[in-house]
């Protein structure tokens, strides 16, 4: 057999938290366990009917069946720009400041190829989403993990980054509301990040998949304020500090920043793989150059569905948020009943829980044994980075009765 030599950049990609849990789930299923899968943040809710109809109608249109080049995506780029302007009150040029993506993960994975030379550092959140690190490894870059600690609200401390690392750094990646910790960041933090990146000549990347998945009184008050604005005939401008601000509210000139959005969470379109980037025109163009070497674009019908999602009724978004808030409340209450006291998150579809003894330093073993003995699958915190050790992430992708059954099984496992 030929001894094939593979690139060294593949070495750090061998381990993946989702792939590892898939293998553990397969073992549990083979042993006859009924698996309750809380390990993957893939929404179980359906896309809205008007979105599906737009895609269905496209199927019968022969003009949608060919390759889709950049100029053919203008309608989607305009819809994305208008959605953003309405939500955050910042003007966006759909010609130069918006780029369609095959999900936001594609953007975070490909952008390092446009920014990093071999050996350059990227400053990443630890714990953080795996594709952020994967993209840096593919670009032959180095990673400096910025630890996220509970005592700091799971926000990085920029002053702790060593000067020699900063001298070799070219980009910083943030993502709030945060996966996996479910932490949120105030506008003041983003303003600090923008200033820091400007001072050190860093590209500032913000992955923003949970822009709409926000709970609590503050979010409700903001919604009521928006309704009042509409009733007075005012445009919906949210430049004031909000619970989950956009990075471009801290960098309205788009001097160093690019932000990634997806329709996977807000519109339950994860399987359709549709997202987009908004930001600095030079960064958008650089990412477009990378994409041109890798792919064309999605099927035009999917973009038509995305346009329908962004421009059509938004009641489905509100309904999804309500659903995940109800699940959050039911799951937190059930955990508290078994003596596992975890904080209530204000955003995302996740619960980030500190592990009890004796598992407090072995999240992988906890998750492996849990699914093996109970069929409940969750994600180990260590899979998201060194600073994630001692935690597990629960994805609220089932209805409350099944979530409560999962907690009952965990109670038996823990005691």
């Amino acid at each position: 057999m030929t001894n094939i030599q593979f690139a060294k950049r593949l070495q750090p990609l061998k381990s993946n938290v989702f792939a590892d849990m898939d293998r553990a789930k397969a073992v549990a299923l083979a042993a006859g366990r009924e698996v309750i899968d809380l390990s993957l943040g893939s929404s179980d809710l359906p896309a809205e009917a008007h979105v599906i109809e737009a895609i269905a109608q496209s199927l019968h249109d022969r003009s949608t069946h060919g390759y889709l080049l950049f100029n053919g995506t203008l309608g989607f780029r305009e819809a994305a720009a208008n959605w953003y302007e309405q939500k955050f009150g910042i003007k966006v040029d759909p010609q130069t400041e918006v780029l369609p993506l095959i999900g936001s993960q594609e953007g975070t994975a490909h952008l390092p190829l446009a920014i990093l030379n071999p050996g350059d550092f990227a400053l990443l959140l630890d714990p953080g989403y795996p594709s952020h690190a994967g993209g840096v490894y593919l670009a032959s870059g180095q990673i400096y993990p910025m630890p996220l600690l509970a005592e700091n609200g799971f926000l990085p401390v920029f002053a702790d980054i060593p000067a020699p690392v900063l001298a070799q750094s070219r980009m910083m990646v943030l993502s709030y509301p945060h996966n996996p910790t479910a932490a949120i960041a105030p506008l003041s933090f983003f303003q600090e990040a923008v200033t820091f990146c400007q001072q050190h000549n860093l590209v500032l990347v913000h992955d923003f998949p949970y822009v709409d998945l926000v709970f609590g009184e503050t979010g409700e008050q903001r919604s009521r304020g928006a309704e009042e604005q509409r009733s007075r005939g005012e445009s919906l401008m949210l430049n004031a500090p909000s619970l989950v601000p956009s990075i471009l509210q801290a960098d309205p000139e788009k001097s160093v920043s690019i932000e990634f959005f997806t329709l996977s969470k807000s519109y339950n379109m994860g399987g359709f793989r549709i997202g987009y980037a908004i930001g600095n025109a030079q960064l958008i163009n650089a990412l477009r150059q990378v994409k041109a070497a890798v792919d064309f674009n999605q099927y035009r019908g999917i973009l038509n569905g995305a346009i329908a999602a962004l421009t059509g009724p938004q009641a489905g978004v509100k309904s999804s948020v309500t659903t995940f808030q109800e699940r959050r409340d039911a799951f937190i209450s059930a955990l508290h009943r078994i003596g596992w006291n975890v904080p209530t998150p204000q955003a995302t579809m996740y619960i980030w829980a500190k592990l009890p003894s004796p598992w407090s330093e072995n999240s992988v073993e906890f998750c492996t044994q849990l699914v093996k003995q109970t069929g409940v699958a969750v994600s180990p915190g260590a899979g998201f980075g060194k600073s994630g050790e001692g935690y597990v992430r629960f994805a609220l992708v089932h209805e409350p009765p099944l979530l409560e059954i999962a907690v009952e099984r965990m109670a038996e496992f823990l005691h």
Side-chain angles (χ1 to χ4, degrees), residues 14-65:
K14 287 185 175 180
S15 179
N16 178 285
V17 61
F18 303 122
D20 293 346
M21 284 311 302
D22 269 349
R23 285 189 285 272
K25 286 181 284 188
V27 171
L29 286 168
R33 290 281 182 194
E34 177 193 7
V35 171
I36 302 177
D37 192 354
L38 308 181
S39 66
L40 188 62
S42 178
S43 175
D44 59 313
L45 304 178
E48 289 293 293
H50 67 280
V51 173
I52 301 301
E53 180 61 23
I55 298 172
Q57 291 297 321
S58 301
L59 292 170
H60 302 287
D61 181 355
R62 291 176 56 182
S63 71
T64 69
H65 294 181

Side-chain angles (χ1 to χ4, degrees), residues 239-283:
N239 270 328
S242 61
L243 194 61
V244 289
S246 162
I247 198 69
L248 300 182
Q249 289 178 287
D251 185 14
E253 289 79 28
K254 310 179 187 78
S255 63
V256 294
S257 306
I258 186 170
E259 195 157 54
F260 292 116
F261 297 85
T262 177
L263 279 75
S264 296
K265 311 302 181 182
S266 300
Y267 299 97
N268 304 312
M269 294 178 67
F272 295 93
R273 308 312 305 135
I274 178 67
Y276 53 96
I278 290 180
N280 176 279
Q282 291 177 293
L283 293 173

